[in-house]
Amino acid sequence: MSTTEAQDARPADPRPVNRPPRRSKAEVNGWLVLDKPVGMTSTHAVGRLKHMFNAKKAGHAGTLDPLASGLLPIAFGEATKTVPFVQDGAKSYRFRIRWGVKTDSDDTEGEVVATSDLRPTREQIEALLPSFLGTIMQRPPAYSAIKVNGERAYDRAREGEVFELAARPITIHALDLIECSVDEAVLEAHCGKGTYVRAIARDLGDALGCLGHVNALRRTRVGPFLEADGAVLPGEGEDPAAFTGQLRRVEAGLGEVPHVDIVRQDAARLRRGQALILRGRDAPAEGMAWANCGGTVVAFGPVEQGALQPYRVFNLPF
């Protein structure tokens, strides 16, 4: 038997291999309002922050395209229960339209499908903006996350399938022209859930006869969070301590929902899943509300017949 064969025939070493213990995940609860840079996906942003905080659970409130910058609210732990309130809140965008070129994605990432030598004047743009206000029908871009027969529209579009999504109602509260040059215009939009800014640019270009697409986009508001709340990711080698200090409380996601102050006895009732009769002049009579006990969010839910129904309960210490 050769030396190599003899070595191979030896029994495996039964002693355990010493590996460094895994770092246990932390109970992190709260909101971090990230000012996402251009080029980063929303999923990547959540992953980086989840790793930075060593958090068990995290998610974002509304996808922001890689080509866009601006507010991407990220919820940790118990704050994920408040994500729908932030997603459903009003949003604001500042965006730049490039006239004369139409793309299949309505932004710079798509293929050019048509061009035009026409260019609109400031007066022509401003005269058209009022027709975009209020509740209108908007056709989402083909490159969107909307599902078509169980598949994301952008996946089907990338495979070369040609289709149009059905128009659906959206609400635009304000649409203002900020800057205007021969080839480009900068606008600001304040709109409701489900509005696609790329579709606004496309439809403006079509209505003006000059065509257009978005070549820069920044989100400046998401629900209760404003542009001033945004936190910039630390760069390589920078101390993240100051960044992690910008974590906001769980109830920050409920900033646009009325609240009621309660005592511990009432908090215990809500945590058991029992409805709580609301008393006091300022108690909401209907709609959604959340309960606060000593500075801690206890539960939220609909107010029905003067009682708060605990739709979701929070596991947070007083």
Side-chain angles (χ1 to χ4, degrees), residues 274-306:
Q274 298 173 310
L276 177 66
I277 296 176
L278 302 180
R279 296 179 175 84
R281 183 182 57 186
D282 299 324
E286 58 182 13
M288 298 297 291
W290 61 277
N292 166 67
C293 180
T296 300
V297 57
V298 177
F300 71 78
V303 178
E304 300 174 352
Q305 297 180 345

Side-chain angles (χ1 to χ4, degrees), residues 154-177:
Y154 53 65
D155 288 331
R156 303 181 69 152
R158 286 167 185 159
E159 292 173 356
E161 185 175 343
V162 178
F163 60 91
E164 278 195 5
L165 296 171
R168 57 186 187 172
I170 54 100
T171 302
I172 300 178
H173 305 289
L175 184 61
D176 301 304
L177 179 62

